[in-house]
Amino acid sequence: PGNNAVQLNGDVFALKTGAINLALTTDDSHLNGIVDNGGTVNMWLQNGETWTNEQNNIRYHQDNEDIGNNYVSRITKLTGGDKNKAGVIVQNSTSKDIVIDNYAGNTLVLYTNNAGSILGGNLTITNAVVDSVVNLRTDSSGINTSSQETLNTVLDNLAKKLFYTNYSQGNLEAFVQISES
């Protein structure tokens, strides 16, 4: 994937016949935008680099490129990092769904919560290679952490954000977590 800094503040768009290879692998790389993919988008998200999945283009009256995906991000192949150098996806309150056709590696997905309700779109993975891992995490703000019932509800709500289409194949390990802050 290379070792050059990539800093994108805007949406990425691949036409039906287009292909984009996007490597966020250096300590100063990031993407702040959706991935509107009609063609092929391969992404490397590693070494703690961050993709904030939120619409980030200014629209004008003839701009209709996002209509087909309804602001849903779709990645053809996402390669995360290793256990200690996972890539990070941020799903905040305005984030829509993410669909990943083929997944490998380790990725941390940070979700915003509002008093225990998990905000942001779902994460759907169609296929995963052996030993793939995804961690879904939210912080404890606004959550009654002294109530086991509340914690279980929040963890359950967080788990409901992940869909693995080919779950019968195995290959994907998923964890849900609530961080201290």
Side-chain angles (χ1 to χ4, degrees), residues 117-132:
S117 293
I118 306 301
L119 307 176
N122 296 325
L123 173 64
T124 300
I125 298 172
T126 304
N127 297 297
V129 301
V130 174
D131 296 327
S132 296

Side-chain angles (χ1 to χ4, degrees), residues 24-27 29 45-51 81 84-88:
L24 304 173
T25 60
T26 66
D27 61 2
S29 293
L45 187 61
Q46 303 166 346
N47 301 319
E49 299 322 302
T50 303
W51 167 28
N84 298 317
K85 294 183 178 182
V88 179

Side-chain angles (χ1 to χ4, degrees), residues 5-146:
V6 176
Q7 300 174 343
L8 298 173
N9 294 306
D11 300 340
V12 174
F13 178 66
L15 293 171
K16 192 181 296 186
T17 58
I20 297 171
N21 292 308
L22 177 59
L24 304 173
T25 60
T26 66
D27 61 2
D28 53 353
S29 293
H30 65 264
L31 168 60
N32 296 317
I34 62 173
V35 178
D36 189 1
N37 179 5
T40 300
V41 174
N42 299 311
M43 181 187 289
W44 290 261
L45 187 61
Q46 303 166 346
N47 301 319
E49 299 322 302
T50 303
W51 167 28
T52 302
N53 181 45
E54 63 183 354
Q55 179 189 347
N56 199 17
N57 278 357
I58 297 172
R59 301 287 172 232
Y60 60 94
H61 74 283
Q62 293 178 337
D63 183 6
N64 65 359
E65 65 189 32
D66 294 322
I67 291 173
N69 283 340
N70 197 26
Y71 305 103
V72 171
S73 289
R74 188 176 73 78
I75 306 296
T76 307
K77 181 179 181 185
L78 177 69
T79 304
D82 63 28
K83 182 178 181 178
N84 298 317
K85 294 183 178 182
V88 179
I89 298 173
V90 176
Q91 288 283 80
N92 59 37
S93 62
T94 61
S95 296
K96 303 289 185 186
D97 293 350
I98 297 173
V99 176
I100 300 170
D101 298 333
N102 298 288
Y103 176 71
N106 284 265
T107 305
L108 171 63
V109 184
L110 300 175
Y111 277 93
T112 303
N113 87 75
N114 181 4
S117 293
I118 306 301
L119 307 176
N122 296 325
L123 173 64
T124 300
I125 298 172
T126 304
N127 297 297
V129 301
V130 174
D131 296 327
S132 296
V133 178
V134 64
N135 290 284
L136 289 84
R137 183 184 299 162
T138 192
D139 64 52
S140 61
S141 63
I143 298 172
N144 179 1
T145 57
S146 62

